[in-house]
Each structure stands twice: as C-alpha cells, then as structure tokens.
Amino acid sequence: MISLPKKVFISILRSPVGTSYYTEGLRLALGVLGGTDDHEVTIAHVGKGVLCALKGVDRSYAEGFLELFQKDGAGNLFYVERESLAEEGISESELAEGFGVASRDELREKMLSSDAVFSF
C-alpha cells in the first residue's frame, strides 16, 4: 500500500511553564516526521504559546526534541502568530532563532490546507 505525504498542522496554545503540552506537541511532530513518508509539518505558536518562542526561555525539558529537528534538516517549520505577539506585548526581536512570524490569516490558510490538525 502506498501512502501519500500528508500536511500536519500543530498549534501550541499554552505557556511552556507548568505544562507538558509544548513537549507533547514536539513529540507528535517528530513522530510524524520520523516515518518513511515525506510529511509536511507546521508548528504554530498561538496565544500564550508564543511564550515558548522567546529568547531565554528554559527549553531544557524539550532540548532533545529540538535537536532532532535540526539534525533532520526539517527547516523552518516553527511559526509564531504575529497578532498573538501583539496581544502579549512581545516584539519580534524577543524571539529565539529559528522562529518565523506569520499572520493569523497565513496560519489559518496553512491549517485549512492540512490533512490533520492537533492542538496542545
């Protein structure tokens, strides 16, 4: 049986402090990318989830997962919603390396064109 590549959209909606949702979202993304099929994954940080993308945030609990994305050459699949940054009073200069900024409409289009959508 031949499997076609799927588009997967994962949204991170919660702060990284005091929850494991961020790490679970990363685990899912790696599971999707780790198979034999060539799936396309988008990870969008929205709402309080933008706090996961800030410089200086303790990512020690997720560092192993993040290193695997870099080793796999997955490219820039991490996005932060521009409107959420504004709502949280965060400037783009406060984001860590590797995070692209996209508008709510751009992320909505990515989500609507996906075959599977997950929220954490």
Side-chain angles (χ1 to χ4, degrees), residues 6-26:
K6 304 286 187 214
K7 289 184 178 182
V8 178
F9 186 91
I10 299 170
S11 58
I12 307 294
L13 304 171
R14 294 173 178 88
S15 167
V17 179
T19 70
S20 63
Y21 291 105
Y22 178 62
T23 305
E24 292 304 315
L26 294 177

Side-chain angles (χ1 to χ4, degrees), residues 7-66:
K7 289 184 178 182
V8 178
F9 186 91
I10 299 170
S11 58
I12 307 294
L13 304 171
R14 294 173 178 88
S15 167
V17 179
T19 70
S20 63
Y21 291 105
Y22 178 62
T23 305
E24 292 304 315
L26 294 177
R27 279 179 31 152
L28 174 64
L30 283 172
V32 170
L33 290 170
T36 57
D37 298 314
D38 191 24
H39 298 306
E40 179 184 321
V41 176
T42 298
I43 301 173
H45 296 75
V46 180
K48 294 287 184 192
V50 299
L51 299 173
C52 299
L54 294 177
K55 291 177 188 171
V57 167
D58 179 12
R59 291 185 186 80
S60 59
Y61 55 91
E63 200 65 42
F65 297 121
L66 293 169

